[in-house]
Amino acid sequence: MPLKNLFLFTLLVFSSVIVSGQKSDITNDARRAKLFFGNGKLQLELDYHGQVNISLLQVNGQKVIAGDTGVYSAFQLGGTVFSTLHLAADPTVRIKGNKVIVSGIHYGNDRLTVTERWTFTITPDSIRFGIDRTLSDAALVEKMSVPVFTFNNINTWEGAYQDYGGLAWFYLFNKKLDTYGVHSSSSRFWDSRTGNGLKVSVQVSGQQVAMDYRRTMTDQLAYSIMFDRNEALPRFDPGTNRRRYTRDTSVSVWSPVHVTAGKTHQEISLRYFDFAQEFNRGKLAGINGEQVSAVLNTIARIGVIDKQHFGGNSWHTPYGPICLHEQYIAQMGLAINDNTYLTGYRDCLDFYRDNAIRPDGRVWPRWAYSNEDAMPGVYTDKGFYEAQWGYLLDSNPDYVMNVSELYDQNGDLAWVRSHKQSCEKALDWILQRDSNGNGLVEMMTDHTAQRKGSDWIDIIWASFENAFVNAKLYRSLRLWSAIEEQLGDRARSLSYHNAAVKLKTAFNKPASQGGFWDEQNKCYVHWLDKDGSKHGRNMVTPVNFMAIAYGICDDRSRAQQILDDIETGMVRENLFFWPLCMTSYGPGEGNDWQFPFPEYENGDLFLSWGSVAVKAYAMYKPELALKYVYNVLNQYSKDGLAFQRYGRKQQDGRGDDILSGNSLSVVGLYQSIYGVNPLYNRFYLDPHITTALAGTELKYWYRNQQLTIGLDTNKYTVSNDRFSVTDQHDFGFSAERYKLSYFHGNSVTPSFTLKDYSKDKITVEFIEWTDSVVSWKQECRPALKRQISYTIGGLQPDTRYWLFIDKSLRRELRSDKNGIIVTGSGYGTGLYELKKLER
């Protein structure tokens, strides 16, 4: 062959284009009808001989797709599947700069013809995959996969996060054909073993995107994308159409879709992310950080069934329930620490506000795939219902508590204002249930013998005045009263505050005087019948933990006795976690099959009460709180906590109703031991660490800033990329571009504000803080002198103070009538002391 012809042949067979800034290129092997392209993290191989599909996808060097199918488009119509794996003719391939264009993709049958053009745009940090699609006719499509990604194995990835913060956890896909459908426009696939992550994002103008994940008959993971003008409707069950998770069927999880003739344009973005870096929780001293991360990355999220459907029960549960009578769904976001979860739950609470609250203020307590758990006929078309076991009244305070705690995390005053009316309705509805005016709200039943539940412990027949529900109501009233003050409604704020005070007073009275304190058994009882008889005198742990953790029980000796008695029983039985009750309920106090003790809610171990238990012990003996966190982490390493509960006798996992609340001990570790408390106007750090945890350095996202939280014995630090604050006890931190605010203790207003209009790093360590002396060490890097202004509050009003810098008197200052000093006397690094001028 002449040299010129050989050169032309080589050019046709291997057509390469170097993409600026990338390690990879585009190669067209025309003889084998294969294209190779990618960037530094993603490498793709595309076949185009009689088909078009991505037959190879490498993520950071790992082959996650390799085979004859790979990534392709497919439709099912009239029982027949047609796809880009079988084309009538070869497509046309063109390379233009950093783009690969594959056109002339024709497939279908006599009822529907599909024409597609695939365009790949390679950039240094992503590959954009555009599909222009034309449908010849309108049709009812039984299933559309546009496209489907066929990953090598169900275990290629550990899971995939959706755009609203939920998780498809492939550990739970334990049978062939297990399928889970979600309303999401993105999936973040991840694997903690390799650290690799792949984000797939989808946009289709004027269409709503849905996705599903399926374990195939060959144990691969098929990830399918679909879209429609309307929200995708689940196929099952007929008449309700709410089931997101299916088993033992090859039929699509989605109902058939009516497609119209014409054109659509679809944009899919493929992007690598470093899972270990993106979900880096920092240095966790004295504890297994990998296990902590694993619990929060998996089990904590599985109660998110779908967009706008957050709860504590897994999407894997056969009837897929959501309990709106769970107060800790927002709280879990504190430790999950992913803004997609917070944003997704915000949208969910909006949905609940608009669909789960009756006009009179009653909050529907549950939602499910089916109506099998509902009172006959007492459900809505959206799937909300009253449970068959009784009227579970804790849904009312729990809705308010979740709104309040999410507001603390997102700080969105306009959003919480949109829930003002609904939260007031929910509180007012239950507050009106106080026929005797003693401050304790009453259930729908008067007597245990009516055999109806009234709270989360739903087949224990708690009636009339229920301490479990009243404890939740107390916390909700306290939280919402503070928010009403921020919203400018002082009358409402005072009303709810007074209701909380009255409830607390009544709660702490002896049961013989109408309160819940059992003087004989030294614990709070679960409930009182209308005739005054005491029930649930068996140390019901959630009742007693909530009483302590929520501040109802402020008698220190009483609280300590409760906690000591529980721990004595725990040691005696060598239990790895706290049971729902330490001894048996009495005859007739619960559903018959729970007797003899221990069985189910009469004595089994439910991990969902871990956060209130950890908080109760952290304030008293944090080493005991940490003991049970260790135990839960150890159990996770054995079974993934993928159960509803654990049996009392064998401490074995039981129940297919997997609860995300199994993570709550680890949430308690974050909130009550590490002291991580994001609040609406500040990040509040209130640690109760043990010696074993000293040296911990957390990475934590707060309002789009990554904070570093240092925890040493009696030395705590919070810093962002510019400012750092250190103190010996609890404090609040807030930082903007040029301003640092410090909140002494649990003050809700700034105690100390520093303003500096340079970009230098500033470290402040507080040494002493009283109304007479405020002292701090300040370090500026670089250590140049500059004008720094301060606002210092909490001082004695209208009082003279001296300001010393490095022991040298600089000036005299006077506080105003509110005890505030404003000064521009700061000059950089040094020891600052503000001392009251003695007369």
Side-chain angles (χ1 to χ4, degrees):
M1 181 182 293
L3 184 61
K4 179 180 179 181
N5 290 343
L6 177 61
F7 172 76
L8 290 173
F9 174 78
T10 304
L11 184 63
L12 289 170
V13 175
F14 296 104
S15 186
S16 299
V17 179
I18 303 298
V19 180
S20 175
Q22 298 183 142
K23 299 178 181 179
S24 190
D25 59 4
I26 303 172
T27 301
N28 181 12
D29 185 343
R31 184 167 54 187
R32 297 169 55 209
K34 290 181 179 290
L35 274 164
F36 305 89
F37 56 94
N39 56 28
K41 293 295 185 181
L42 301 176
Q43 297 292 320
L44 286 76
E45 177 183 316
L46 185 142
D47 289 358
Y48 61 91
H49 178 58
Q51 64 185 39
V52 172
N53 69 309
I54 298 170
S55 57
L56 177 69
L57 172 59
Q58 290 191 164
V59 177
N60 196 31
Q62 177 190 359
K63 291 182 180 180
V64 298
I65 291 176
D68 296 333
T69 54
V71 182
Y72 62 95
S73 294
F75 288 82
Q76 181 176 325
L77 183 64
T80 301
V81 176
F82 46 91
S83 72
T84 61
L85 294 177
H86 303 283
L87 304 180
D90 289 348
T92 301
V93 173
R94 184 161 58 99
I95 299 171
K96 184 179 180 181
N98 65 332
K99 295 179 182 290
V100 172
I101 303 166
V102 184
S103 56
I105 304 171
H106 303 290
Y107 61 103
N109 59 20
D110 56 353
R111 297 172 59 187
L112 180 65
T113 300
V114 184
T115 300
E116 294 183 354
R117 181 179 68 181
W118 292 9
T119 303
F120 298 90
T121 304
I122 300 97
T123 71
D125 61 356
S126 71
I127 295 176
R128 298 199 301 272
F129 176 13
I131 303 178
D132 292 286
R133 181 178 296 108
T134 301
L135 303 182
S136 63
D137 298 281
L140 181 64
V141 175
E142 294 153 11
K143 180 175 175 60
M144 57 190 298
S145 302
V146 286
V148 55
F149 292 67
T150 312
F151 293 106
N152 290 339
N153 191 276
I154 191 66
N155 296 318
T156 297
W157 304 106
E158 286 183 64
Y161 295 135
Q162 285 79 54
D163 61 8
Y164 50 80
L167 168 68
W169 190 18
F170 303 127
Y171 173 80
L172 299 181
F173 286 55
N174 46 30
K175 292 182 65 178
K176 299 177 192 298
L177 300 182
D178 280 5
T179 305
Y180 176 40
V182 296
H183 295 92
S184 177
S185 61
S186 70
S187 287
R188 288 182 291 170
F189 294 92
W190 57 272
D191 187 353
S192 64
R193 297 161 297 190
T194 63
N196 291 331
L198 173 67
K199 183 175 182 180
V200 181
S201 304
V202 185
Q203 289 185 330
V204 190
S205 179
Q207 306 284 318
Q208 298 191 53
V209 177
M211 303 172 170
D212 63 75
Y213 313 87
R214 178 187 293 266
R215 181 171 183 161
T216 70
M217 291 299 294
T218 54
D219 293 324
Q220 294 174 297
L221 170 62
Y223 161 59
S224 297
I225 297 166
M226 66 160 291
F227 56 85
D228 188 25
R229 288 171 298 174
N230 303 311
E231 182 177 273
L233 180 69
R235 181 184 296 259
F236 303 102
D237 302 324
T240 55
N241 301 97
R242 297 190 292 265
R243 188 174 299 278
R244 271 66 166 178
Y245 184 74
T246 61
R247 312 197 81 165
D248 303 317
T249 178
S250 59
V251 177
S252 173
V253 69
W254 302 114
S255 294
V257 176
H258 289 274
V259 298
T260 57
K263 298 179 179 180
T264 57
H265 176 72
Q266 180 180 8
E267 280 288 338
I268 302 169
S269 169
L270 307 178
R271 186 182 299 268
Y272 169 82
F273 67 91
D274 185 327
F275 177 77
Q277 180 177 348
E278 190 156 327
F279 291 87
N280 177 21
R281 295 184 176 274
K283 172 191 170 186
L284 276 60
I287 200 166
N288 189 319
E290 290 185 1
Q291 291 178 349
V292 169
S293 294
V295 169
L296 297 175
N297 291 336
T298 57
I299 198 74
R301 294 187 189 240
I302 63 166
V304 183
I305 288 181
D306 195 1
K307 177 182 178 182
Q308 298 180 333
H309 291 76
F310 282 51
N313 299 69
S314 164
W315 43 262
H316 187 267
T317 304
Y319 70 104
I322 290 172
C323 292
L324 280 72
H325 56 114
E326 290 177 327
Q327 77 274 37
Y328 39 68
I329 309 303
Q331 183 189 24
M332 288 194 284
L334 175 151
I336 290 171
N337 197 216
D338 181 353
N339 193 57
T340 63
Y341 182 94
L342 301 184
T343 302
Y345 192 43
R346 179 198 65 196
D347 295 342
C348 172
L349 286 172
D350 289 348
F351 180 73
Y352 290 172
R353 175 197 62 205
D354 299 338
N355 296 280
I357 302 178
R358 290 167 44 172
D360 64 356
R362 169 64 176 142
V363 178
W364 292 100
R366 289 187 180 176
W367 176 97
Y369 293 154
S370 65
N371 297 328
E372 64 192 84
D373 183 46
M375 288 183 185
V378 190
Y379 50 80
T380 75
D381 60 343
K382 294 288 196 302
F384 298 102
Y385 64 91
E386 293 285 2
Q388 61 179 313
W389 309 111
Y391 291 94
L392 312 178
L393 298 197
D394 43 348
S395 57
N396 276 59
D398 288 354
Y399 163 71
V400 178
M401 206 183 310
N402 279 311
V403 169
S404 302
E405 294 197 349
L406 183 62
Y407 167 60
D408 266 336
Q409 294 177 67
N410 67 24
D412 188 339
L413 189 64
W415 173 78
V416 82
R417 189 183 298 277
S418 75
H419 285 261
K420 183 177 189 295
Q421 184 180 19
S422 56
C423 285
E424 290 169 354
K425 285 173 62 177
L427 289 175
D428 293 348
W429 183 90
I430 196 167
L431 284 171
Q432 290 170 7
R433 297 196 58 77
D434 182 14
S435 62
N436 56 20
N438 68 351
L440 300 174
V441 299
E442 300 150 6
M443 306 302 101
M444 303 291 275
T445 53
D446 293 339
H447 303 287
T448 304
Q450 291 174 265
R451 298 177 61 82
K452 291 294 182 182
S454 60
D455 62 42
W456 190 92
I457 311 177
D458 55 359
I459 56 173
I460 294 297
W461 311 136
S463 71
F464 200 59
E465 290 174 342
N466 179 339
F468 189 104
V469 174
N470 276 278
K472 288 182 168 187
L473 177 59
Y474 174 79
R475 177 159 173 77
S476 295
L477 289 167
R478 292 292 306 275
L479 291 171
W480 193 252
S481 172
I483 291 173
E484 290 281 12
E485 181 75 20
Q486 294 174 49
L487 295 173
D489 194 335
R490 292 189 174 179
R492 283 278 191 174
S493 176
L494 182 61
S495 173
Y496 294 134
H497 170 79
N498 290 341
V501 171
K502 187 175 182 181
L503 189 160
K504 177 178 178 177
T505 301
F507 195 108
N508 281 305
K509 288 181 179 179
S512 59
Q513 299 176 26
F516 293 123
W517 180 247
D518 186 335
E519 293 179 303
Q520 179 181 348
N521 293 324
K522 304 302 179 186
C523 67
Y524 291 98
V525 301
H526 190 166
W527 75 92
L528 302 176
D529 274 356
K530 193 171 184 177
D531 62 9
S533 58
K534 301 183 286 290
H535 297 273
R537 304 178 66 187
N538 49 327
M539 187 67 82
V540 180
T541 56
V543 168
N544 286 273
F545 287 146
M546 285 192 289
I548 297 168
Y550 292 164
I552 300 171
C553 176
D554 50 14
D555 181 328
R556 181 173 294 184
S557 61
R558 179 181 288 187
Q560 290 179 358
Q561 180 165 20
I562 291 170
L563 297 174
D564 287 344
D565 288 349
I566 291 174
E567 178 60 12
T568 298
M570 296 293 289
V571 172
R572 182 173 58 247
E573 294 188 57
N574 193 29
L575 299 177
F576 88 93
F577 192 82
W578 300 282
L580 278 185
C581 51
M582 297 307 296
T583 58
S584 181
Y585 280 96
E589 290 185 342
N591 208 326
D592 295 343
W593 63 263
Q594 297 177 108
F595 298 84
F597 172 87
E599 185 63 45
Y600 197 56
E601 293 175 352
N602 187 25
D604 275 353
L605 284 55
F606 284 80
L607 276 59
S608 292
W609 297 98
S611 61
V612 289
V614 167
K615 182 174 179 62
Y617 276 104
M619 297 186 295
Y620 172 42
K621 291 182 178 180
E623 65 277 6
L624 285 180
L626 186 60
K627 167 186 170 181
Y628 293 99
V629 174
Y630 285 149
N631 288 350
V632 169
L633 292 176
N634 181 57
Q635 194 65 38
Y636 179 87
S637 69
K638 298 176 182 178
D639 60 22
L641 303 178
F643 297 98
Q644 180 200 47
R645 68 192 192 282
Y646 289 82
R648 177 79 162 255
K649 293 180 179 179
Q650 302 298 324
Q651 300 191 59
D652 53 328
R654 296 184 179 185
D656 57 5
D657 190 0
I658 302 168
L659 303 182
S660 63
N662 292 344
S663 68
L664 280 163
S665 298
V666 181
V667 175
L669 167 72
Y670 260 72
Q671 186 172 36
S672 302
I673 298 178
Y674 292 151
V676 170
N677 288 273
L679 299 180
Y680 70 97
N681 67 339
R682 65 201 185 279
F683 177 84
Y684 176 54
L685 185 65
D686 182 23
H688 296 84
I689 65 166
T690 65
T691 303
L693 301 180
T696 292
E697 190 174 89
L698 301 174
K699 300 292 184 184
Y700 193 85
W701 285 100
Y702 174 73
R703 308 287 162 76
N704 298 316
Q705 299 181 59
Q706 187 172 62
L707 304 181
T708 300
I709 303 162
L711 300 172
D712 276 310
T713 304
N714 298 323
K715 185 176 182 181
Y716 314 123
T717 302
V718 178
S719 57
N720 66 1
D721 58 0
R722 182 161 184 225
F723 296 109
S724 178
V725 172
T726 299
D727 207 338
Q728 300 171 37
H729 50 72
D730 62 314
F731 67 92
F733 173 97
S734 177
E736 301 170 23
R737 186 176 182 184
Y738 298 118
K739 183 171 77 172
L740 167 68
S741 295
Y742 161 85
F743 300 72
H744 181 65
N746 63 358
S747 172
V748 299
T749 57
S751 310
F752 174 99
T753 301
L754 176 156
K755 290 184 180 179
D756 173 56
Y757 292 96
S758 73
K759 296 181 180 180
D760 301 336
K761 294 187 176 182
I762 298 177
T763 298
V764 177
E765 181 176 354
F766 287 94
I767 300 168
E768 185 175 2
W769 191 289
T770 68
D771 62 357
S772 300
V773 179
V774 176
S775 62
W776 69 94
K777 292 179 182 177
Q778 182 171 295
E779 181 180 348
C780 304
R781 298 186 299 276
L784 301 175
K785 288 188 176 181
R786 86 288 305 282
Q787 190 74 18
I788 298 176
S789 64
Y790 305 92
T791 301
I792 303 171
L795 305 174
Q796 295 183 21
D798 195 25
T799 302
R800 295 161 62 196
Y801 286 82
W802 278 334
L803 176 65
F804 295 84
I805 303 178
D806 292 330
K807 302 298 183 180
S808 174
L809 177 62
R810 290 303 177 96
R811 62 181 300 184
E812 182 181 314
L813 302 166
R814 178 178 287 273
S815 63
D816 66 14
K817 63 180 182 180
N818 297 312
I820 296 172
I821 286 178
V822 179
T823 177
S825 301
Y827 298 101
T829 298
L831 171 64
Y832 290 70
E833 297 171 285
L834 188 66
K835 296 183 176 182
K836 177 185 172 184
L837 180 60
E838 299 295 337
R839 298 184 184 277

